[in-house]
């Protein structure tokens, strides 16, 4: 009787493990900071692609922009309304964003975060 229960327990555990492997893919994201300013990449499988957001969170008069390296090039865009809400974002096709970096527009060299590969 104990052997039969042990076999049943193993079978149930195996079924749960296999079921866990079949779970739908989860959303992924990556965020980089320059002070309180940030840029974020999001790949949510429930939507139609990838999104990059840039957010100016400092009321210091300096603009904030994100550098986006794509499979077919490179682009930058800024938080269009400065430190006011909401943040700015753009959408891209699945798998097209390679990395992001957020920068604060300064007199002289801009201050930038590390480049984050996604």
């Amino acid at each position: 009787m104990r052997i039969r229960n042990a076999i049943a327990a193993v079978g149930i555990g195996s079924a749960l493990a296999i079921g866990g492997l079949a779970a739908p893919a989860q959303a992924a994201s990556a965020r980089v900071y320059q002070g309180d300013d940030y840029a974020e990449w999001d790949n949510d499988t429930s939507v139609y692609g990838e999104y990059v957001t840039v957010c100016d969170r400092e009321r210091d008069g300096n603009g904030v922009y994100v550098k986006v390296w794509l499979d077919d090039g490179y682009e930058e865009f800024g938080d269009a309304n400065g430190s006011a809400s909401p943040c700015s974002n753009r959408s891209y096709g699945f798998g097209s964003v390679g990395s992001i970096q957020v920068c604060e527009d300064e007199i002289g060299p801009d201050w930038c975060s590390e480049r984050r590969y996604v």
Side-chain angles (χ1 to χ4, degrees):
M1 191 67 140
R2 288 183 188 180
I3 293 174
R4 189 179 310 164
N5 290 341
I7 292 171
V10 168
I12 291 170
S14 297
L16 290 174
I18 291 170
L21 293 175
Q26 298 298 313
S29 64
R31 189 178 276 196
V32 289
Y33 288 91
Q34 167 51 48
D36 289 332
D37 306 322
Y38 69 87
E40 181 174 45
W41 165 85
D42 183 40
N43 181 13
D44 188 342
T45 57
S46 67
V47 295
Y48 300 104
E50 300 175 326
Y51 291 85
V52 174
T53 301
V54 61
C55 198
D56 185 345
R57 307 276 298 190
E58 300 171 352
R59 295 174 188 244
D60 58 6
N62 297 328
V64 174
Y65 62 96
V66 62
K67 296 178 180 182
V68 183
W69 283 268
L70 304 162
D71 290 341
D72 61 353
Y74 165 87
E75 72 176 35
E76 296 177 356
F77 69 94
D79 191 351
N81 58 9
S83 59
S85 186
C87 301
S88 295
N89 62 53
R90 289 194 183 165
S91 61
Y92 301 92
F94 282 117
S96 60
V97 177
S99 62
I100 60 172
Q101 183 179 38
V102 65
C103 298
E104 186 169 351
D105 191 9
E106 287 286 325
I107 296 173
D110 292 348
W111 298 342
C112 295
S113 68
E114 75 279 3
R115 183 174 171 183
R116 177 81 182 265
Y117 291 86
V118 297

